[in-house]
């Protein structure tokens, strides 16, 4: 069986993260995740945080999002995979390993960047490189869509799966200021198939021109960041179970106190 090509060059990813000095994206992810966690009526006593996270929860164990997670089976009641799944070579494997670390009825939560992230920059870079060189190079990670990542929760055997998202639109003076911030966020190109030599300046100049003409508002360019949030529970015998289709004992119309009208043929 052939080996599947790796999406991410992990050494480059770690290097990018180490030189990051701006927590803008992580702060949004942290605040939104904690807001969702506050809605859970549960006190967690043995939390695990996976990935490049700030101190989200006091006294939580924090580990790297390495290919093989440093976890012990059945040892945590909460596992948070933080801002790392969009760089994972095996995202379902990451979720499965996280789920195995959970005690029965333990909660898994994840936040990562989604497929709409940097769609403007992706379009402009592709057009610019095609015009200047006649080809295309991998430059922005192919981040997952909410439906696809939500399905991974079920593949990992988690119960009561939920996936939702938020979209944040930011503005910059130009494409160069955006790319400078991406470096500060630790989110620059770490693709395994990326070019290993410097990109021609003409490509970035042309990208900035296209960006300013195509995705500008009030004299500034717009950049989109989509955050995906995943949630699921480790199976447990005392969890609520969805009802079998057709097993309802009362009519919806009766519950709503309205008159049911049949559909026309």
């Amino acid at each position: 069986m052939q080996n599947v090509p790796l999406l991410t060059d992990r050494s480059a990813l770690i290097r990018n993260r180490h030189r990051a000095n701006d927590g803008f994206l992580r702060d949004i992810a942290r605040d939104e995740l904690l807001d969702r966690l506050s809605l859970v009526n549960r006190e967690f006593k043995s939390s695990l945080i996976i990935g490049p996270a700030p101190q989200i929860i006091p006294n939580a164990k924090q580990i790297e999002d390495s290919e093989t997670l440093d976890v012990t089976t059945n040892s945590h009641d909460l596992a948070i995979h933080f801002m790392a799944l969009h760089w994972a070579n095996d995202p379902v494997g990451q979720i499965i390993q996280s789920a195995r670390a959970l005690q029965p009825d333990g909660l898994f939560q994840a936040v990562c960047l989604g497929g709409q992230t940097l769609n403007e920059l992706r379009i402009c870079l592709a057009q610019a490189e095609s015009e200047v060189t006649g080809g295309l190079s991998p430059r922005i990670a192919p981040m997952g869509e909410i439906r696809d990542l939500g399905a991974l929760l079920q593949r990992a055997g988690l119960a009561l799966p939920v996936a939702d998202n938020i979209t944040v639109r930011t503005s910059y003076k130009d494409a160069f200021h955006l790319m400078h911030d991406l470096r500060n966020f630790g989110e620059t190109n770490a693709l395994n198939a990326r070019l290993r030599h410097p990109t021609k300046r003409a490509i970035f100049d042309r990208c900035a021109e296209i960006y300013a003409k195509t995705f500008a508002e009030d004299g500034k360019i717009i950049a989109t960041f989509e955050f995906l949030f995943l949630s699921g529970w480790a199976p447990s015998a005392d969890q609520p179970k969805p009802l079998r289709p057709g097993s309802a004992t009362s009519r919806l119309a009766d519950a709503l106190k309205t008159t049911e009208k049949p559909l026309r043929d």
Side-chain angles (χ1 to χ4, degrees):
M1 186 175 70
Q2 289 184 329
N3 292 328
V4 178
L6 295 179
L7 170 71
T8 300
D9 177 352
R10 186 154 182 84
S11 62
L13 177 62
I14 293 173
R15 182 170 63 248
N16 292 347
R17 288 174 176 175
H18 282 170
R19 68 189 182 194
N21 57 22
D22 190 325
F24 172 69
L25 296 181
R26 296 181 187 181
D27 288 346
I28 294 174
R30 178 199 60 208
D31 292 346
E32 289 287 335
L33 189 144
L34 288 177
D35 184 57
R36 286 160 174 75
L37 195 59
S38 70
L39 302 177
V40 180
N41 187 22
R42 179 77 63 84
E43 181 182 354
F44 297 103
K45 299 180 179 179
S46 54
S47 301
L48 172 69
I49 299 176
I50 303 157
Q55 188 61 44
I56 299 175
I57 299 174
N59 302 318
K61 179 181 179 180
Q62 294 195 237
I63 63 172
E64 292 186 5
D65 55 309
S66 52
E67 300 289 345
T68 301
L69 298 181
D70 181 18
V71 296
T72 302
T73 302
N74 195 32
S75 57
H76 299 279
D77 55 10
L78 173 65
I80 296 174
H81 208 293
F82 188 85
M83 289 295 283
L85 280 178
H86 56 282
W87 285 114
N89 286 310
D90 181 14
V92 68
Q94 290 284 303
I95 298 176
I96 289 173
Q97 292 180 76
S98 301
R100 287 175 178 167
L102 290 172
Q103 301 163 357
D105 205 33
L107 176 62
F108 169 79
Q109 288 204 323
V111 55
C112 62
L113 294 177
Q116 297 304 308
T117 298
L118 298 175
N119 64 84
E120 304 92 349
L121 181 60
R122 194 188 307 269
I123 291 169
C124 295
L125 276 172
Q127 182 177 337
E129 187 169 19
S130 178
E131 290 180 7
V132 173
T133 69
L136 292 176
S137 303
R139 296 187 179 277
I140 299 176
M143 302 168 198
E145 301 295 335
I146 186 170
R147 179 180 299 179
D148 298 330
L149 288 178
L152 297 186
L153 295 171
Q154 293 180 310
R155 287 183 59 188
L158 291 166
L160 307 174
V162 175
D164 71 297
N165 69 334
I166 64 167
T167 300
V168 176
R169 299 177 80 236
T170 59
S171 60
Y172 289 89
K173 178 181 178 181
D174 54 38
F176 293 104
H177 281 77
L178 168 59
M179 288 185 277
H180 180 269
D181 261 12
L182 291 177
R183 179 185 176 94
N184 289 338
F185 298 154
E187 293 290 344
T188 47
N189 193 352
L191 292 170
N192 195 52
R194 72 191 186 281
L195 291 178
R196 302 305 173 108
H197 57 77
T199 298
K200 294 181 178 179
R201 173 74 184 199
I203 293 176
F204 293 127
D205 288 340
R206 180 58 182 144
C207 172
E209 292 174 1
I210 297 169
Y211 212 138
K213 292 179 181 178
T214 311
F215 299 105
E217 293 180 5
D218 299 324
K220 292 187 176 181
I221 65 165
I222 301 301
T224 299
F225 294 93
E226 181 187 24
F227 295 82
L228 302 184
F229 298 88
L230 309 177
S231 178
W233 296 84
S236 174
D238 56 359
Q239 280 176 344
K241 301 292 190 298
L243 293 175
R244 179 174 52 83
S247 62
T249 58
S250 60
R251 299 165 64 247
L252 179 60
D254 294 337
L256 297 176
K257 296 182 180 180
T258 187
T259 301
E260 184 177 6
K261 296 181 180 180
L263 295 174
R264 294 181 180 179
D265 292 335

